Amino acid sequence: MSQSASQAAIFYRDVESSKKVWTIKDSGGFPAPKNRDGIRAMPFWSSKSRAEIIIKTVKAYEGFEPVELDLNTFYNYWLKILKSHKQLVGINWSGKKALGYDIPPEHIINWIDKIRDTKNI
């Protein structure tokens, strides 16, 4: 399993358990850099500590602060905005370059729908 796949698996496991995601922001707002394909991706992490590590280790995110989002806000607000803007969701980016999977918001929406149906969330 690749590092990105491992981080994605952790993301799904942790978010299902905690019902929270984390992103980061500074005075300019929330980051949504372009990926290798030129498509913007907004990063989200499955824990505050993961977001804090990126803030500490990636120069571009120096001075950012972690922001906690409950699963409903993530689902009803952020995923719908990203979908309407044709942007991707970066999940559990890691490493000195903050890399990982960038996936369409619809994948996360479908996953949340599925866990809500099966786990009564």
Side-chain angles (χ1 to χ4, degrees):
M1 182 182 289
S2 72
Q3 178 70 18
S4 294
S6 174
Q7 291 296 342
I10 292 167
F11 178 87
Y12 290 117
R13 181 198 68 206
D14 290 352
V15 171
E16 184 175 348
S17 174
S18 73
K19 317 286 185 290
K20 296 179 196 174
V21 298
W22 293 83
T23 190
I24 58 175
K25 77 175 210 172
D26 68 1
S27 61
F30 297 90
K34 289 184 179 179
N35 67 12
R36 290 180 216 107
D37 298 323
I39 300 169
R40 295 204 177 273
M42 185 172 171
F44 294 91
W45 292 270
S46 59
S47 69
K48 182 178 182 182
S49 62
R50 289 178 182 282
E52 289 172 333
I53 288 169
I54 291 298
I55 292 167
K56 290 177 187 169
T57 58
V58 179
K59 187 153 182 68
Y61 298 130
E62 193 173 281
F64 279 70
E65 296 290 328
V67 176
E68 179 182 323
L69 303 170
D70 64 63
L71 193 59
N72 286 327
T73 301
F74 179 56
Y75 179 88
N76 292 312
Y77 181 76
W78 288 104
L79 292 174
K80 294 187 179 181
I81 285 176
L82 293 172
K83 181 179 175 183
S84 73
H85 292 164
K86 298 185 181 353
Q87 295 180 348
L88 299 173
V89 178
I91 54 174
N92 272 1
W93 288 355
S94 63
K96 292 182 181 183
K97 294 185 179 184
L99 299 174
Y101 278 141
D102 298 335
I103 61 175
E106 296 86 355
H107 290 191
I108 304 285
I109 290 168
N110 292 338
W111 172 74
I112 292 171
D113 287 340
K114 195 175 297 181
I115 63 169
R116 282 182 169 168
D117 289 343
T118 60
K119 306 238 177 187
N120 213 9
I121 296 173

